[in-house]
Amino acid sequence: MASTMQVLVATAEREVYRGEAEFLVAPGAAGELGILPKHSPLLSALTTGELRITNGDHVDEVFVSGGYMEVQPDMITILSDSAERASDIDEAGAIEAERKAKEILDMQKDDIDYAAAEAELSMMTARLIWLRKKKK
């Protein structure tokens, strides 16, 4: 039997994933990170993107937007700003969230934080692209 590690993916609101994995790929701030069991301890910032959690022939995919990953030899803990599985995302809701983010960015008001609005739009667009890729 192949060696495995425990994986926990959580947000401030909920636990999104908990299980065993033989391999994990995460969107690290400096590029994709591939983690196998018995990996050296590591702490990494995450960017918006896809986690791929492999156990045998089964692959779980979770969309994360930012956060941190702590790697220990037998445990990976991912704390993300937001995280969700493709099956949990409502495509119509995702389209509406992207539309609202674009609308806020297009407003010409002094009280808008444009950097935050651009970051929100970028995350919503990446989330929608990922969802559409998973639905195919």
Side-chain angles (χ1 to χ4, degrees):
M1 181 176 166
S3 179
T4 62
M5 59 198 162
Q6 294 297 310
V7 176
L8 169 64
V9 179
T11 67
E13 294 84 27
R14 67 189 180 103
E15 183 177 293
V16 177
Y17 179 91
R18 181 185 293 267
E20 288 189 348
E22 294 174 357
F23 184 61
L24 178 134
V25 176
E32 275 195 338
L33 297 165
I35 309 294
L36 291 165
K38 308 297 182 202
H39 194 285
S40 298
L42 168 74
L43 183 61
S44 176
L46 298 176
T47 61
T48 298
E50 176 185 48
L51 290 175
R52 290 186 307 278
I53 305 162
T54 304
N55 195 12
D57 292 335
H58 183 74
V59 178
D60 280 304
E61 297 162 320
V62 178
F63 182 83
V64 295
S65 61
Y68 293 92
M69 175 174 69
E70 177 190 32
V71 176
Q72 294 295 324
D74 295 318
M75 178 74 188
I76 298 175
T77 304
I78 295 171
L79 302 175
S80 182
D81 300 332
S82 69
E84 48 200 335
R85 293 176 180 209
S87 60
D88 296 339
I89 300 174
D90 169 36
E91 187 170 2
I95 291 168
E96 179 63 13
E98 181 187 38
R99 185 194 65 74
K100 285 181 181 177
K102 285 179 183 175
E103 193 175 278
I104 289 170
L105 194 56
D106 289 340
M107 297 171 98
Q108 297 295 324
K109 292 188 177 179
D110 292 335
D111 63 340
I112 294 175
D113 180 350
Y114 284 98
E118 285 178 347
E120 180 74 10
L121 177 58
S122 176
M123 193 275 291
M124 289 298 163
T125 301
R127 178 177 172 240
L128 193 53
I129 290 167
W130 178 76
L131 176 63
R132 288 178 175 154
K133 184 177 97 175
K134 295 299 133 201
K135 297 277 180 172
K136 288 183 180 179

